[in-house]
Amino acid sequence: MEWKLFADLAEVTGARTVRVDVDGDATVGDALDALVGAHPALESRVFGDDGELYDHINVLRNGEAAALGEATAAGDELALFPPVSGG
């Protein structure tokens, strides 16, 4: 499974793209747990003290908004976006 990371999340991992290994029946949440397990510094940036995903973090699966309980399939591309602003 491949994650695309943006803004400060890519800076934390040192890469814009990160591969993680998950089981064939993994959910988006499982893949996110694998990503955070491989890069623990991400935890405080994507999860609150209660262990829940911050509301301002966007998770996408194949370019569409994804819920953490959503099933994944081989070849899926996942993306993690922090809040961004522009002008």
Side-chain angles (χ1 to χ4, degrees), residues 3-34:
W3 280 98
K4 286 195 172 188
L5 306 174
F6 296 87
D8 66 322
L9 302 178
E11 291 174 19
V12 168
T13 63
R16 290 195 174 280
T17 304
V18 176
R19 292 197 66 76
V20 296
D21 292 323
V22 293
D23 293 332
D25 61 347
T27 63
V28 172
D30 295 332
L32 182 56
D33 288 344

Side-chain angles (χ1 to χ4, degrees), residues 16-74:
R16 290 195 174 280
T17 304
V18 176
R19 292 197 66 76
V20 296
D21 292 323
V22 293
D23 293 332
D25 61 347
T27 63
V28 172
D30 295 332
L32 182 56
D33 288 344
L35 175 65
V36 171
H39 298 278
L42 285 173
E43 185 169 12
S44 65
R45 296 186 184 257
V46 298
F47 293 114
D49 291 338
D50 60 0
E52 295 294 317
L53 184 70
Y54 283 125
D55 290 338
H56 61 266
I57 297 293
N58 296 302
V59 179
L60 299 160
R61 178 177 162 255
N62 300 325
E64 302 287 330
L68 296 182
E70 189 174 316
T72 62

